Amino acid sequence: MAPEHSDATDADTTALALKILIAGGFGVGKTTLVGALSEIRPLRTEEALSEAGRSVDDTAGVERKTVTTVAMDFGRITIRPDLSLYLFGTPGQDRFWFLWDELAHGALGAVVLADTRRLQDCFPAVDYFEHRSIPFVVAVNRFAGARTYAPHEVSRALDLDRGTPVLLCDARDRESGKDVLIRLVEYAGRMHTARLLESVS
């Protein structure tokens, strides 16, 4: 006699975990965003800024910053019961960029945080993801006192590929950050589907 089919098996769903990078320039709010989003206590690898590093770390515009990420930030957020995102915040300074290739391996996509007062600081991250065909969105972190620009103005200033999403956000606010992640997952899904269809056509 064949065993009865269990309804519990039908109810089970395979949880999907996706890797997301949080990138951008020095002091743009990457650690803050990961901390605001993570449902677990975030892993941080911060060290105090030192006098020895002043010659290589550009603190213009972020003079009050006293610590910096030297490896990565890590957090996790559940978007829905069957979908979790693992968040990896990248170090912002050039001298830690050797870590980026390892962090980017297997990533679905990336959020590039931008500060309109220092917009040029996110150019390296934009170039990195464009050259490796990793889908990304640009999230403009709204700092107090910073001039507000429309998304299309930021897109033009960064010379982004047509269709690359640009959003306004507050890195301190969980719901604002969650909206950015949802937009990234949707965009990356469309990009990966289009590439798959192109490869089989």
Side-chain angles (χ1 to χ4, degrees):
M1 180 176 177
E4 292 184 9
H5 183 71
S6 172
D7 290 337
T9 302
D10 288 341
D12 289 343
T13 56
T14 301
L16 181 62
L18 301 174
K19 182 179 185 180
I20 302 294
L21 298 187
I22 310 295
F26 178 61
V28 78
K30 300 181 294 295
T31 298
T32 299
L33 181 60
V34 172
L37 286 167
S38 184
E39 62 199 17
I40 62 173
R41 183 176 180 179
L43 168 67
R44 293 175 172 160
T45 56
E46 293 185 316
E47 294 292 340
L49 290 172
S50 65
E51 286 298 323
R54 289 193 181 277
S55 61
V56 291
D57 293 332
D58 182 8
T59 57
V62 286
E63 290 83 1
R64 290 189 294 176
K65 186 172 176 63
T66 59
V67 295
T68 185
T69 299
V70 296
M72 68 174 184
D73 298 310
F74 174 77
R76 185 190 71 207
I77 179 174
T78 300
I79 298 296
R80 57 178 192 253
D82 61 341
L83 176 60
S84 295
L85 302 182
Y86 291 97
L87 310 176
F88 291 80
T90 64
Q93 300 99 308
D94 293 352
R95 68 182 186 276
F96 296 124
W97 271 49
F98 66 91
L99 295 168
W100 278 51
D101 287 340
E102 188 66 30
L103 291 175
H105 182 71
L108 174 76
V111 174
V112 176
L113 271 180
D115 178 353
T116 57
R117 300 169 301 177
R118 299 176 292 122
L119 199 57
Q120 70 280 0
D121 288 0
C122 70
F123 273 112
V126 168
D127 289 343
Y128 182 91
F129 297 123
E130 283 184 344
H131 290 154
R132 288 161 181 78
S133 298
I134 297 175
F136 68 95
V137 301
V138 173
V140 179
N141 192 9
R142 290 175 288 190
F143 287 90
R147 180 179 170 185
T148 300
Y149 292 88
H152 73 272
E153 293 178 293
V154 175
S155 180
R156 187 167 57 246
L158 293 175
D159 194 26
L160 298 177
D161 290 340
R162 183 176 177 142
T164 302
V166 177
L167 310 100
L168 304 180
C169 77
D170 182 342
R172 302 165 298 179
D173 182 76
R174 190 172 195 268
E175 288 306 311
S176 179
K178 191 174 178 180
D179 289 343
V180 171
L181 293 180
I182 291 172
R183 184 73 177 275
L184 170 63
V185 171
E186 292 172 345
Y187 175 64
R190 291 195 303 270
M191 293 290 289
H192 286 296
T193 298
R195 289 170 186 167
L196 179 61
L197 293 174
E198 187 177 308
S199 69
V200 298
S201 61

